[in-house]
Amino acid sequence: QAGFPLWALGSDDAIALNEAGAVLAGGGTVAFPTETVYGLGADARNTAAVEQIFAAKGRPSDNPLIVHISDTSQLDELVLGVNDTERRLMEAFWPGPLTLVLPVKPGAVSPRVTAGLDTVAVRMPDHRVALALISAADCPVAAPSANRSGRPSPTLAGHVFEDLAGAIDGILDGGPAGVGVESTVVQAGQDGTVTVLRPGGVTEEQLAALAASVQRDPALARAGSADSPAPRSPGMKYTHYAPKGALCIVQGRTADAVSAKIQAELDAAGARGETTGVLSFDEHIGRYRADVAVSLGSLAAPEEAAHRLYAGLRQFDEAGATFILAESCPDKGLGAAVMNRLLKAAGHHIIFASDDGLASD
Ligand code: TXA
Ligand code: MG
């Protein structure tokens, strides 16, 4: 694209950051690295700028955006107040992958950012480039993940380029994102209770160390079922992060039952002419024959799985996989965020591997 800047950050950092900051201040859109995933930023106060984010992503307009700040002094102009629990969480986890849903100060941001809610989601990213960009732009920066809506979130500048080149005003390339899954979105009560609306980079175990109690929004567990309540985080109701092929998660009582079921289904799919994929872990990946096999690292290292997940899902698309099966990882630590994203990518389709099948085959 003529005039489409991709600023690779190196010795010219200051020049790139100032140019990108000026684009944001002038009402444009810039993709930038954070410690979680790449975000697509715009001035949160500027409705025309925020509308460019929705247009570029193809994002449903009832899904509100997270506002990114570089200094807690920016909070005063955004929110009506911060309670003691929220203050404690900010002190512990900012800058970092924690987003707080706070009462919005009327008129502080475009209504397109909050999707008409009386709250605004705020976070301070733990990334040198993101913080410097927000400072250079000198405004609160609304930024969803910088992917086309429905695609896996970007963990490399190249992913942003694949999805959004030509639809946005520039990309800051700061290398691979660290955590690999998005921030944890929470609401916190004055009484110390913390409700997790979206699992993410800060784990429930970390929150529990500071909160009177931690609970998951009940809508998370039942998302996808007919009687499920509306989730408090509107974005959680969409099928996100989906690869182009059909993806299904296989679960069972034993790892051997799961592996046997996966291989049987892969063989049957291959015989039908499907291009097959399997998403597994180092401990099991050698068991499978498929056209594309992706490991998320050791089952004992959920932070590695989080780091590799989205790029892994994109690999299936690159290889043209049409039928993909995935193993689960333990729902602990960062594994909770990995399983949340994997279930959403699979549209909550789960195959259960029975032990009987294993014995009789
Ligand atoms: O790590 C992240 O959070 C990344 C990076 C770029 O910072 N951003 C991100 O933004 O994941 P996005 O737009 O993809 O996800 C925002 C999530 C959605 O699930 C949305 O529904 C929820 O936050 N959200 C935003 N405002 C909210 C509000 N006022 N109340 C409840 N949920 C809210
Ligand atoms: Mg997103």
Side-chain angles (χ1 to χ4, degrees), residues 306-333:
H307 183 70
R308 295 192 197 183
L309 178 67
Y310 288 134
L313 291 174
R314 280 176 186 257
Q315 265 181 268
F316 293 115
D317 286 351
E318 282 154 27
T322 57
F323 180 90
I324 308 153
L325 295 177
E327 293 182 348
S328 299
C329 69
D331 191 27
K332 281 190 307 207

Side-chain angles (χ1 to χ4, degrees), residues 256-273:
D256 285 347
V258 169
S259 296
K261 180 68 176 171
I262 287 179
Q263 191 58 52
E265 295 285 339
L266 289 173
D267 289 343
R272 294 196 297 274

Side-chain angles (χ1 to χ4, degrees), residues 53 71 89 125 132 140 239 289:
I53 291 179
D71 195 294
L89 294 175
T239 300
R289 294 176 310 279

Side-chain angles (χ1 to χ4, degrees), residues 248-255 257-259 261-262 325-329 331 339 342-343 349-355:
C248 207
I249 296 170
V250 181
Q251 295 182 335
R253 279 204 297 125
T254 65
V258 169
S259 296
K261 180 68 176 171
I262 287 179
L325 295 177
E327 293 182 348
S328 299
C329 69
D331 191 27
M339 283 314 297
L342 206 47
L343 279 160
H349 292 298
I350 299 172
I351 299 176
F352 196 79
S354 72
D355 309 329

Side-chain angles (χ1 to χ4, degrees), residues 195-198 215-222 229-233 236:
T195 306
V196 174
L197 309 188
R198 176 179 76 178
Q215 63 191 66
R216 287 187 193 178
D217 181 355
L220 288 178
R222 281 169 285 162
R232 279 206 257 168
S233 178
M236 298 312 283

Side-chain angles (χ1 to χ4, degrees), residues 290-304:
D291 296 313
V292 200
V294 174
S295 174
L296 296 182
S298 170
L299 276 165
E303 59 286 351
E304 186 65 27

